[in-house]
Amino acid sequence: MTSNLASTLITKLTVSNNLDSADIRAIHGLPIRERKLGASALIVADGARSTDCCLLAEGFAFRAKTTFEGQRQVLSLHIPGEIPDLQSLHLHVMDHELVALTPCKVGFIAHEAIRDANQQRPNLAAALWRETLIDSAIFREWIVNVGRRSAAARMAHLLVEMHQRLKAVGLTQDDGFAFPITQAELGDCLGLSTVHVNRTLQSLRKDGLISVERAEFRILDMQGLEFLAGFDPTYLHLNPSI
Amino acid sequence: MTSNLASTLITKLTVSNNLDSADIRAIHGLPIRERKLGASALIVADGARSTDCCLLAEGFAFRAKTTFEGQRQVLSLHIPGEIPDLQSLHLHVMDHELVALTPCKVGFIAHEAIRDANQQRPNLAAALWRETLIDSAIFREWIVNVGRRSAAARMAHLLVEMHQRLKAVGLTQDDGFAFPITQAELGDCLGLSTVHVNRTLQSLRKDGLISVERAEFRILDMQGLEFLAGFDPTYLHLNPSI
DNA sequence: CGGACTGTTGATTCGAATCAAAACCGGTGG
DNA sequence: CCACCGGTTTTGATTCGAATCAACAGTCCG
């Protein structure tokens, strides 16, 4: 069957949560308004007051803040099945922006509909709360990444994280994964300049850790990359029962 | 009346949430086991599986991760009334540690008790969810802080944030606030070396922005400090209705 | 074919880390 | 009461990682 919007959400939620059939029915029952967006489209603006959440069904998106001096910092990267602005359910004014990294298919779900479903299905509410907490755990790891790791370790960590998250929803081929991001955008994720991102990637390639061609990253030495990154997957909380 | 453990939680929740009298009764009904802790006491270890949440009633605490190379990064600072490990309600294994920054009075509340209260009082559950989302919003701002701001701006931002959060629960005197933290710990918050923290603080003092004596910080030029920090208080979500 | 974006390279600067040592401070015990 | 001690703050000298500046090459696309 063709994967509709709700199915991508269910796939993603099931990675980290135990949903029962009634929960899944409730998700299928959610009214979702589909939309297609081009790369770099602004999905939700900083300062906005949303009445909907945005379910990312295809493509990549990111959340970002821009400093007073005009420097952009990417806060998180989002993959299909995620609801990057789920926090807007309880935080009514956006403190950052949500942007399409690549062309995307998204679905907007009214807060009211999610609130109703949460009331009917407390287990679904718990799963969504848990998703926002995993979001939070990833933010924490990113603080460590930009605060304490070298450029090479930062890059390695980001790549390993993306590989693991994409693998969990079946969006990898072996050690390769499609990830269409520019070096400037990588710099905004890692708190590095574009030039330094370029040199860091070259160094990872030279050391035989990764290969990059076009929008396709490939991890050639997973052990080596994880060691360089100091990667510990605990923070991704991918196992529903722990 | 003497402020017991539950009251500090109510004070803090009321800053950002609308609680009704039944919610407040439910909080007062929570069984809380009080404990006193010395400075640098480990409250919850990385990797632990908690059965309780820790309510911080007096003193300061922080959450932190330690990299493979032994570098510590502080992820968040916590003030009285907060539950720094509220996420453990849904994330059963700790991906970081919780530590007492100063001598603390804390209260442990069983997950079961909180779950029961949440079931009885959906409005309380929403408030706690919102608290974890505000936590998340602060993490986002910290990513920007360590990723994109200069040392002086980072320090300024941290001090303005702490002042605003402490003011919201009545723990400031005018522009001064008690904040017993060493320069090494500030470095761990900001991703800076101790030596550079020292020089950064000197520069803020020289510019007449702050004064520090003992554990007492004083903001001498709020406008100037906020401008240097590029501070926008939106992310603190201190207004319950937005 | 031209133009805009993206990636690459080299030269240089700069902010912050590191290394090393001294000064300061509060507590403790002789 | 004072000497001592560990932790903290301060200072100076030096190194180093990453930013910046400036070009140029590659690629995609209208």
Side-chain angles (χ1 to χ4, degrees), chain A residues 150-153 155-156 159 183 195-212 220 225 228:
Chain A
S150 69
M155 180 68 73
L159 295 177
Q183 295 183 356
V195 171
H196 205 58
V197 165
N198 184 281
R199 290 178 173 138
T200 303
L201 284 173
Q202 283 181 49
S203 138
L204 295 185
R205 282 192 305 240
K206 177 179 59 60
D207 294 347
L209 295 167
I210 63 165
S211 72
V212 195
L220 304 177
L225 202 63
L228 173 59

PDB file of all heavy atoms in Angstrom, chain A residues 150-153 155-156 159 183 195-212 220 225 228, chain C residues 8-9, chain D residues 18:
ATOM      1  N   SER A 150      35.786  18.699  18.920  1.00  0.00           N
ATOM      2  CA  SER A 150      36.537  19.285  17.811  1.00  0.00           C
ATOM      3  C   SER A 150      35.690  19.226  16.553  1.00  0.00           C
ATOM      4  O   SER A 150      34.694  18.505  16.485  1.00  0.00           O
ATOM      5  CB  SER A 150      37.822  18.490  17.588  1.00  0.00           C
ATOM      6  OG  SER A 150      37.490  17.214  17.075  1.00  0.00           O
ATOM      7  N   ALA A 151      36.111  19.970  15.545  1.00  0.00           N
ATOM      8  CA  ALA A 151      35.357  20.033  14.295  1.00  0.00           C
ATOM      9  C   ALA A 151      35.139  18.642  13.712  1.00  0.00           C
ATOM     10  O   ALA A 151      34.020  18.290  13.319  1.00  0.00           O
ATOM     11  CB  ALA A 151      36.087  20.921  13.296  1.00  0.00           C
ATOM     12  N   ALA A 152      36.176  17.828  13.676  1.00  0.00           N
ATOM     13  CA  ALA A 152      36.065  16.489  13.078  1.00  0.00           C
ATOM     14  C   ALA A 152      35.102  15.623  13.890  1.00  0.00           C
ATOM     15  O   ALA A 152      34.267  14.904  13.325  1.00  0.00           O
ATOM     16  CB  ALA A 152      37.439  15.834  13.000  1.00  0.00           C
ATOM     17  N   ALA A 153      35.206  15.700  15.223  1.00  0.00           N
ATOM     18  CA  ALA A 153      34.322  14.905  16.077  1.00  0.00           C
ATOM     19  C   ALA A 153      32.873  15.363  15.926  1.00  0.00           C
ATOM     20  O   ALA A 153      31.951  14.548  15.907  1.00  0.00           O
ATOM     21  CB  ALA A 153      34.772  15.012  17.530  1.00  0.00           C
ATOM     22  N   MET A 155      31.454  16.700  13.272  1.00  0.00           N
ATOM     23  CA  MET A 155      30.958  16.213  11.991  1.00  0.00           C
ATOM     24  C   MET A 155      30.674  14.714  12.069  1.00  0.00           C
ATOM     25  O   MET A 155      29.615  14.252  11.636  1.00  0.00           O
ATOM     26  CB  MET A 155      32.004  16.497  10.912  1.00  0.00           C
ATOM     27  CG  MET A 155      31.620  16.054   9.523  1.00  0.00           C
ATOM     28  SD  MET A 155      30.257  17.020   8.843  1.00  0.00           S
ATOM     29  CE  MET A 155      31.114  18.566   8.511  1.00  0.00           C
ATOM     30  N   ALA A 156      31.615  13.972  12.636  1.00  0.00           N
ATOM     31  CA  ALA A 156      31.434  12.528  12.771  1.00  0.00           C
ATOM     32  C   ALA A 156      30.175  12.232  13.575  1.00  0.00           C
ATOM     33  O   ALA A 156      29.371  11.365  13.207  1.00  0.00           O
ATOM     34  CB  ALA A 156      32.657  11.917  13.452  1.00  0.00           C
ATOM     35  N   LEU A 159      26.997  12.794  11.570  1.00  0.00           N
ATOM     36  CA  LEU A 159      26.770  11.781  10.535  1.00  0.00           C
ATOM     37  C   LEU A 159      26.319  10.460  11.140  1.00  0.00           C
ATOM     38  O   LEU A 159      25.406   9.811  10.623  1.00  0.00           O
ATOM     39  CB  LEU A 159      28.034  11.613   9.685  1.00  0.00           C
ATOM     40  CG  LEU A 159      28.405  12.857   8.875  1.00  0.00           C
ATOM     41  CD1 LEU A 159      29.711  12.641   8.127  1.00  0.00           C
ATOM     42  CD2 LEU A 159      27.286  13.240   7.898  1.00  0.00           C
ATOM     43  N   GLN A 183      27.364  22.338   2.411  1.00  0.00           N
ATOM     44  CA  GLN A 183      28.395  22.492   3.428  1.00  0.00           C
ATOM     45  C   GLN A 183      28.126  23.719   4.300  1.00  0.00           C
ATOM     46  O   GLN A 183      28.455  23.725   5.488  1.00  0.00           O
ATOM     47  CB  GLN A 183      29.768  22.567   2.762  1.00  0.00           C
ATOM     48  CG  GLN A 183      30.125  21.247   2.068  1.00  0.00           C
ATOM     49  CD  GLN A 183      31.502  21.245   1.446  1.00  0.00           C
ATOM     50  OE1 GLN A 183      32.206  22.260   1.451  1.00  0.00           O
ATOM     51  NE2 GLN A 183      31.908  20.101   0.904  1.00  0.00           N
ATOM     52  N   VAL A 195      34.101  27.072   5.106  1.00  0.00           N
ATOM     53  CA  VAL A 195      35.444  26.663   4.716  1.00  0.00           C
ATOM     54  C   VAL A 195      35.947  25.533   5.610  1.00  0.00           C
ATOM     55  O   VAL A 195      36.523  24.542   5.125  1.00  0.00           O
ATOM     56  CB  VAL A 195      36.415  27.860   4.788  1.00  0.00           C
ATOM     57  CG1 VAL A 195      37.847  27.417   4.599  1.00  0.00           C
ATOM     58  CG2 VAL A 195      36.031  28.900   3.745  1.00  0.00           C
ATOM     59  N   HIS A 196      35.700  25.683   6.893  1.00  0.00           N
ATOM     60  CA  HIS A 196      36.199  24.660   7.812  1.00  0.00           C
ATOM     61  C   HIS A 196      35.427  23.350   7.669  1.00  0.00           C
ATOM     62  O   HIS A 196      36.003  22.272   7.855  1.00  0.00           O
ATOM     63  CB  HIS A 196      36.159  25.170   9.249  1.00  0.00           C
ATOM     64  CG  HIS A 196      37.148  24.477  10.139  1.00  0.00           C
ATOM     65  ND1 HIS A 196      38.495  24.479   9.886  1.00  0.00           N
ATOM     66  CD2 HIS A 196      36.983  23.719  11.235  1.00  0.00           C
ATOM     67  CE1 HIS A 196      39.113  23.767  10.802  1.00  0.00           C
ATOM     68  NE2 HIS A 196      38.220  23.276  11.636  1.00  0.00           N
ATOM     69  N   VAL A 197      34.139  23.452   7.341  1.00  0.00           N
ATOM     70  CA  VAL A 197      33.366  22.238   7.066  1.00  0.00           C
ATOM     71  C   VAL A 197      33.991  21.498   5.894  1.00  0.00           C
ATOM     72  O   VAL A 197      34.199  20.278   5.940  1.00  0.00           O
ATOM     73  CB  VAL A 197      31.897  22.590   6.738  1.00  0.00           C
ATOM     74  CG1 VAL A 197      31.182  21.408   6.103  1.00  0.00           C
ATOM     75  CG2 VAL A 197      31.165  23.024   7.999  1.00  0.00           C
ATOM     76  N   ASN A 198      34.323  22.229   4.868  1.00  0.00           N
ATOM     77  CA  ASN A 198      34.934  21.631   3.686  1.00  0.00           C
ATOM     78  C   ASN A 198      36.216  20.884   4.050  1.00  0.00           C
ATOM     79  O   ASN A 198      36.408  19.732   3.667  1.00  0.00           O
ATOM     80  CB  ASN A 198      35.223  22.738   2.659  1.00  0.00           C
ATOM     81  CG  ASN A 198      35.773  22.182   1.363  1.00  0.00           C
ATOM     82  OD1 ASN A 198      36.947  21.861   1.283  1.00  0.00           O
ATOM     83  ND2 ASN A 198      34.911  22.032   0.364  1.00  0.00           N
ATOM     84  N   ARG A 199      37.054  21.546   4.832  1.00  0.00           N
ATOM     85  CA  ARG A 199      38.322  20.907   5.200  1.00  0.00           C
ATOM     86  C   ARG A 199      38.109  19.716   6.119  1.00  0.00           C
ATOM     87  O   ARG A 199      38.835  18.719   6.040  1.00  0.00           O
ATOM     88  CB  ARG A 199      39.245  21.942   5.855  1.00  0.00           C
ATOM     89  CG  ARG A 199      39.715  22.939   4.808  1.00  0.00           C
ATOM     90  CD  ARG A 199      40.603  24.027   5.351  1.00  0.00           C
ATOM     91  NE  ARG A 199      41.111  24.793   4.216  1.00  0.00           N
ATOM     92  CZ  ARG A 199      41.205  26.113   4.176  1.00  0.00           C
ATOM     93  NH1 ARG A 199      40.845  26.832   5.206  1.00  0.00           N
ATOM     94  NH2 ARG A 199      41.659  26.706   3.101  1.00  0.00           N
ATOM     95  N   THR A 200      37.110  19.833   6.984  1.00  0.00           N
ATOM     96  CA  THR A 200      36.830  18.724   7.906  1.00  0.00           C
ATOM     97  C   THR A 200      36.336  17.502   7.136  1.00  0.00           C
ATOM     98  O   THR A 200      36.767  16.370   7.398  1.00  0.00           O
ATOM     99  CB  THR A 200      35.784  19.169   8.938  1.00  0.00           C
ATOM    100  OG1 THR A 200      36.271  20.324   9.623  1.00  0.00           O
ATOM    101  CG2 THR A 200      35.514  18.070   9.948  1.00  0.00           C
ATOM    102  N   LEU A 201      35.458  17.732   6.161  1.00  0.00           N
ATOM    103  CA  LEU A 201      34.969  16.606   5.351  1.00  0.00           C
ATOM    104  C   LEU A 201      36.125  15.969   4.581  1.00  0.00           C
ATOM    105  O   LEU A 201      36.219  14.743   4.487  1.00  0.00           O
ATOM    106  CB  LEU A 201      33.886  17.088   4.386  1.00  0.00           C
ATOM    107  CG  LEU A 201      32.509  17.341   4.998  1.00  0.00           C
ATOM    108  CD1 LEU A 201      31.569  17.974   3.974  1.00  0.00           C
ATOM    109  CD2 LEU A 201      31.908  16.037   5.528  1.00  0.00           C
ATOM    110  N   GLN A 202      37.003  16.816   4.035  1.00  0.00           N
ATOM    111  CA  GLN A 202      38.155  16.278   3.317  1.00  0.00           C
ATOM    112  C   GLN A 202      38.987  15.372   4.210  1.00  0.00           C
ATOM    113  O   GLN A 202      39.440  14.295   3.783  1.00  0.00           O
ATOM    114  CB  GLN A 202      39.035  17.419   2.824  1.00  0.00           C
ATOM    115  CG  GLN A 202      38.483  18.128   1.606  1.00  0.00           C
ATOM    116  CD  GLN A 202      39.404  19.246   1.149  1.00  0.00           C
ATOM    117  OE1 GLN A 202      40.609  19.047   1.009  1.00  0.00           O
ATOM    118  NE2 GLN A 202      38.845  20.419   0.933  1.00  0.00           N
ATOM    119  N   SER A 203      39.150  15.817   5.448  1.00  0.00           N
ATOM    120  CA  SER A 203      39.974  15.038   6.373  1.00  0.00           C
ATOM    121  C   SER A 203      39.300  13.699   6.702  1.00  0.00           C
ATOM    122  O   SER A 203      39.965  12.669   6.777  1.00  0.00           O
ATOM    123  CB  SER A 203      40.248  15.888   7.620  1.00  0.00           C
ATOM    124  OG  SER A 203      40.140  15.127   8.782  1.00  0.00           O
ATOM    125  N   LEU A 204      37.982  13.712   6.885  1.00  0.00           N
ATOM    126  CA  LEU A 204      37.275  12.449   7.154  1.00  0.00           C
ATOM    127  C   LEU A 204      37.377  11.508   5.951  1.00  0.00           C
ATOM    128  O   LEU A 204      37.509  10.294   6.105  1.00  0.00           O
ATOM    129  CB  LEU A 204      35.802  12.704   7.489  1.00  0.00           C
ATOM    130  CG  LEU A 204      35.491  13.484   8.771  1.00  0.00           C
ATOM    131  CD1 LEU A 204      33.980  13.540   9.017  1.00  0.00           C
ATOM    132  CD2 LEU A 204      36.184  12.880   9.975  1.00  0.00           C
ATOM    133  N   ARG A 205      37.319  12.084   4.755  1.00  0.00           N
ATOM    134  CA  ARG A 205      37.444  11.253   3.546  1.00  0.00           C
ATOM    135  C   ARG A 205      38.839  10.692   3.427  1.00  0.00           C
ATOM    136  O   ARG A 205      39.038   9.504   3.158  1.00  0.00           O
ATOM    137  CB  ARG A 205      37.116  12.098   2.298  1.00  0.00           C
ATOM    138  CG  ARG A 205      35.623  12.303   2.098  1.00  0.00           C
ATOM    139  CD  ARG A 205      35.326  12.869   0.720  1.00  0.00           C
ATOM    140  NE  ARG A 205      36.060  14.108   0.469  1.00  0.00           N
ATOM    141  CZ  ARG A 205      35.492  15.280   0.196  1.00  0.00           C
ATOM    142  NH1 ARG A 205      34.179  15.378   0.116  1.00  0.00           N
ATOM    143  NH2 ARG A 205      36.216  16.339  -0.020  1.00  0.00           N
ATOM    144  N   LYS A 206      39.832  11.581   3.643  1.00  0.00           N
ATOM    145  CA  LYS A 206      41.227  11.154   3.553  1.00  0.00           C
ATOM    146  C   LYS A 206      41.515   9.999   4.512  1.00  0.00           C
ATOM    147  O   LYS A 206      42.270   9.070   4.186  1.00  0.00           O
ATOM    148  CB  LYS A 206      42.147  12.350   3.873  1.00  0.00           C
ATOM    149  CG  LYS A 206      43.623  12.028   3.883  1.00  0.00           C
ATOM    150  CD  LYS A 206      44.473  13.257   4.177  1.00  0.00           C
ATOM    151  CE  LYS A 206      44.174  13.936   5.507  1.00  0.00           C
ATOM    152  NZ  LYS A 206      44.377  13.060   6.697  1.00  0.00           N
ATOM    153  N   ASP A 207      40.883  10.052   5.697  1.00  0.00           N
ATOM    154  CA  ASP A 207      41.113   8.995   6.695  1.00  0.00           C
ATOM    155  C   ASP A 207      40.263   7.757   6.429  1.00  0.00           C
ATOM    156  O   ASP A 207      40.227   6.848   7.267  1.00  0.00           O
ATOM    157  CB  ASP A 207      40.826   9.532   8.103  1.00  0.00           C
ATOM    158  CG  ASP A 207      41.823  10.613   8.501  1.00  0.00           C
ATOM    159  OD1 ASP A 207      42.847  10.751   7.805  1.00  0.00           O
ATOM    160  OD2 ASP A 207      41.574  11.319   9.493  1.00  0.00           O
ATOM    161  N   GLY A 208      39.562   7.760   5.309  1.00  0.00           N
ATOM    162  CA  GLY A 208      38.804   6.570   4.945  1.00  0.00           C
ATOM    163  C   GLY A 208      37.594   6.309   5.827  1.00  0.00           C
ATOM    164  O   GLY A 208      37.128   5.172   5.919  1.00  0.00           O
ATOM    165  N   LEU A 209      37.090   7.372   6.468  1.00  0.00           N
ATOM    166  CA  LEU A 209      35.945   7.177   7.362  1.00  0.00           C
ATOM    167  C   LEU A 209      34.619   7.291   6.617  1.00  0.00           C
ATOM    168  O   LEU A 209      33.663   6.574   6.926  1.00  0.00           O
ATOM    169  CB  LEU A 209      35.996   8.203   8.496  1.00  0.00           C
ATOM    170  CG  LEU A 209      37.198   8.050   9.447  1.00  0.00           C
ATOM    171  CD1 LEU A 209      37.342   9.268  10.339  1.00  0.00           C
ATOM    172  CD2 LEU A 209      37.039   6.792  10.288  1.00  0.00           C
ATOM    173  N   ILE A 210      34.554   8.212   5.659  1.00  0.00           N
ATOM    174  CA  ILE A 210      33.309   8.429   4.926  1.00  0.00           C
ATOM    175  C   ILE A 210      33.610   8.677   3.445  1.00  0.00           C
ATOM    176  O   ILE A 210      34.757   8.923   3.059  1.00  0.00           O
ATOM    177  CB  ILE A 210      32.535   9.667   5.451  1.00  0.00           C
ATOM    178  CG1 ILE A 210      33.371  10.954   5.224  1.00  0.00           C
ATOM    179  CG2 ILE A 210      32.194   9.510   6.920  1.00  0.00           C
ATOM    180  CD1 ILE A 210      32.574  12.223   5.369  1.00  0.00           C
ATOM    181  N   SER A 211      32.555   8.595   2.640  1.00  0.00           N
ATOM    182  CA  SER A 211      32.622   9.125   1.290  1.00  0.00           C
ATOM    183  C   SER A 211      31.346   9.921   1.057  1.00  0.00           C
ATOM    184  O   SER A 211      30.312   9.628   1.636  1.00  0.00           O
ATOM    185  CB  SER A 211      32.762   8.006   0.263  1.00  0.00           C
ATOM    186  OG  SER A 211      31.543   7.306   0.143  1.00  0.00           O
ATOM    187  N   VAL A 212      31.467  10.967   0.245  1.00  0.00           N
ATOM    188  CA  VAL A 212      30.314  11.801  -0.065  1.00  0.00           C
ATOM    189  C   VAL A 212      30.269  11.992  -1.558  1.00  0.00           C
ATOM    190  O   VAL A 212      31.278  12.342  -2.175  1.00  0.00           O
ATOM    191  CB  VAL A 212      30.413  13.205   0.579  1.00  0.00           C
ATOM    192  CG1 VAL A 212      29.078  13.893   0.552  1.00  0.00           C
ATOM    193  CG2 VAL A 212      30.972  13.128   1.980  1.00  0.00           C
ATOM    194  N   LEU A 220      32.228   4.570   5.662  1.00  0.00           N
ATOM    195  CA  LEU A 220      33.122   3.488   5.253  1.00  0.00           C
ATOM    196  C   LEU A 220      33.704   2.758   6.452  1.00  0.00           C
ATOM    197  O   LEU A 220      34.050   1.585   6.365  1.00  0.00           O
ATOM    198  CB  LEU A 220      34.258   4.055   4.391  1.00  0.00           C
ATOM    199  CG  LEU A 220      33.813   4.845   3.152  1.00  0.00           C
ATOM    200  CD1 LEU A 220      35.017   5.420   2.433  1.00  0.00           C
ATOM    201  CD2 LEU A 220      32.987   3.970   2.222  1.00  0.00           C
ATOM    202  N   LEU A 225      34.446   5.995  12.864  1.00  0.00           N
ATOM    203  CA  LEU A 225      33.678   7.240  12.934  1.00  0.00           C
ATOM    204  C   LEU A 225      33.034   7.394  14.308  1.00  0.00           C
ATOM    205  O   LEU A 225      33.047   8.487  14.880  1.00  0.00           O
ATOM    206  CB  LEU A 225      32.602   7.239  11.838  1.00  0.00           C
ATOM    207  CG  LEU A 225      32.072   8.602  11.427  1.00  0.00           C
ATOM    208  CD1 LEU A 225      33.158   9.469  10.815  1.00  0.00           C
ATOM    209  CD2 LEU A 225      30.912   8.469  10.449  1.00  0.00           C
ATOM    210  N   LEU A 228      35.788   8.336  16.785  1.00  0.00           N
ATOM    211  CA  LEU A 228      36.140   9.749  16.631  1.00  0.00           C
ATOM    212  C   LEU A 228      35.071  10.651  17.241  1.00  0.00           C
ATOM    213  O   LEU A 228      35.365  11.657  17.889  1.00  0.00           O
ATOM    214  CB  LEU A 228      36.308  10.071  15.132  1.00  0.00           C
ATOM    215  CG  LEU A 228      36.519  11.531  14.757  1.00  0.00           C
ATOM    216  CD1 LEU A 228      37.761  12.103  15.436  1.00  0.00           C
ATOM    217  CD2 LEU A 228      36.632  11.692  13.252  1.00  0.00           C
TER     218      LEU A 228
ATOM    219  P    DT C   8      34.426  19.725  -2.328  1.00  0.00           P
ATOM    220  OP1  DT C   8      34.768  18.449  -2.985  1.00  0.00           O
ATOM    221  OP2  DT C   8      34.060  19.749  -0.896  1.00  0.00           O
ATOM    222  O5'  DT C   8      35.634  20.719  -2.559  1.00  0.00           O
ATOM    223  C5'  DT C   8      36.138  20.886  -3.872  1.00  0.00           C
ATOM    224  C4'  DT C   8      37.224  21.925  -3.896  1.00  0.00           C
ATOM    225  O4'  DT C   8      36.663  23.227  -3.642  1.00  0.00           O
ATOM    226  C3'  DT C   8      38.314  21.754  -2.837  1.00  0.00           C
ATOM    227  O3'  DT C   8      39.494  21.343  -3.513  1.00  0.00           O
ATOM    228  C2'  DT C   8      38.467  23.134  -2.185  1.00  0.00           C
ATOM    229  C1'  DT C   8      37.706  24.039  -3.136  1.00  0.00           C
ATOM    230  N1   DT C   8      37.051  25.234  -2.544  1.00  0.00           N
ATOM    231  C2   DT C   8      37.489  26.482  -2.919  1.00  0.00           C
ATOM    232  O2   DT C   8      38.389  26.656  -3.721  1.00  0.00           O
ATOM    233  N3   DT C   8      36.819  27.520  -2.332  1.00  0.00           N
ATOM    234  C4   DT C   8      35.777  27.433  -1.413  1.00  0.00           C
ATOM    235  O4   DT C   8      35.255  28.443  -0.970  1.00  0.00           O
ATOM    236  C5   DT C   8      35.375  26.100  -1.065  1.00  0.00           C
ATOM    237  C7   DT C   8      34.271  25.899  -0.092  1.00  0.00           C
ATOM    238  C6   DT C   8      36.025  25.080  -1.635  1.00  0.00           C
ATOM    239  P    DT C   9      40.788  20.933  -2.735  1.00  0.00           P
ATOM    240  OP1  DT C   9      41.551  20.021  -3.613  1.00  0.00           O
ATOM    241  OP2  DT C   9      40.407  20.511  -1.381  1.00  0.00           O
ATOM    242  O5'  DT C   9      41.594  22.297  -2.621  1.00  0.00           O
ATOM    243  C5'  DT C   9      41.998  22.971  -3.803  1.00  0.00           C
ATOM    244  C4'  DT C   9      42.629  24.301  -3.450  1.00  0.00           C
ATOM    245  O4'  DT C   9      41.595  25.212  -3.011  1.00  0.00           O
ATOM    246  C3'  DT C   9      43.640  24.258  -2.303  1.00  0.00           C
ATOM    247  O3'  DT C   9      44.929  24.508  -2.837  1.00  0.00           O
ATOM    248  C2'  DT C   9      43.205  25.370  -1.344  1.00  0.00           C
ATOM    249  C1'  DT C   9      42.204  26.156  -2.163  1.00  0.00           C
ATOM    250  N1   DT C   9      41.111  26.771  -1.365  1.00  0.00           N
ATOM    251  C2   DT C   9      40.904  28.126  -1.468  1.00  0.00           C
ATOM    252  O2   DT C   9      41.566  28.850  -2.186  1.00  0.00           O
ATOM    253  N3   DT C   9      39.866  28.602  -0.705  1.00  0.00           N
ATOM    254  C4   DT C   9      39.053  27.857   0.138  1.00  0.00           C
ATOM    255  O4   DT C   9      38.147  28.404   0.767  1.00  0.00           O
ATOM    256  C5   DT C   9      39.329  26.449   0.199  1.00  0.00           C
ATOM    257  C7   DT C   9      38.508  25.564   1.067  1.00  0.00           C
ATOM    258  C6   DT C   9      40.328  25.983  -0.541  1.00  0.00           C
TER     259       DT C   9
ATOM    260  P    DA D  18      38.794  22.860  15.457  1.00  0.00           P
ATOM    261  OP1  DA D  18      37.718  22.301  16.293  1.00  0.00           O
ATOM    262  OP2  DA D  18      39.449  22.048  14.408  1.00  0.00           O
ATOM    263  O5'  DA D  18      38.252  24.195  14.783  1.00  0.00           O
ATOM    264  C5'  DA D  18      37.744  25.226  15.622  1.00  0.00           C
ATOM    265  C4'  DA D  18      37.699  26.531  14.863  1.00  0.00           C
ATOM    266  O4'  DA D  18      39.039  26.985  14.579  1.00  0.00           O
ATOM    267  C3'  DA D  18      36.977  26.492  13.514  1.00  0.00           C
ATOM    268  O3'  DA D  18      35.888  27.383  13.590  1.00  0.00           O
ATOM    269  C2'  DA D  18      38.047  26.879  12.501  1.00  0.00           C
ATOM    270  C1'  DA D  18      39.019  27.683  13.357  1.00  0.00           C
ATOM    271  N9   DA D  18      40.379  27.758  12.838  1.00  0.00           N
ATOM    272  C8   DA D  18      41.157  26.721  12.400  1.00  0.00           C
ATOM    273  N7   DA D  18      42.341  27.096  11.975  1.00  0.00           N
ATOM    274  C5   DA D  18      42.335  28.476  12.145  1.00  0.00           C
ATOM    275  C6   DA D  18      43.305  29.463  11.885  1.00  0.00           C
ATOM    276  N6   DA D  18      44.505  29.202  11.377  1.00  0.00           N
ATOM    277  N1   DA D  18      42.971  30.753  12.162  1.00  0.00           N
ATOM    278  C2   DA D  18      41.756  31.005  12.670  1.00  0.00           C
ATOM    279  N3   DA D  18      40.780  30.157  12.959  1.00  0.00           N
ATOM    280  C4   DA D  18      41.127  28.899  12.674  1.00  0.00           C
TER     281       DA D  18
END
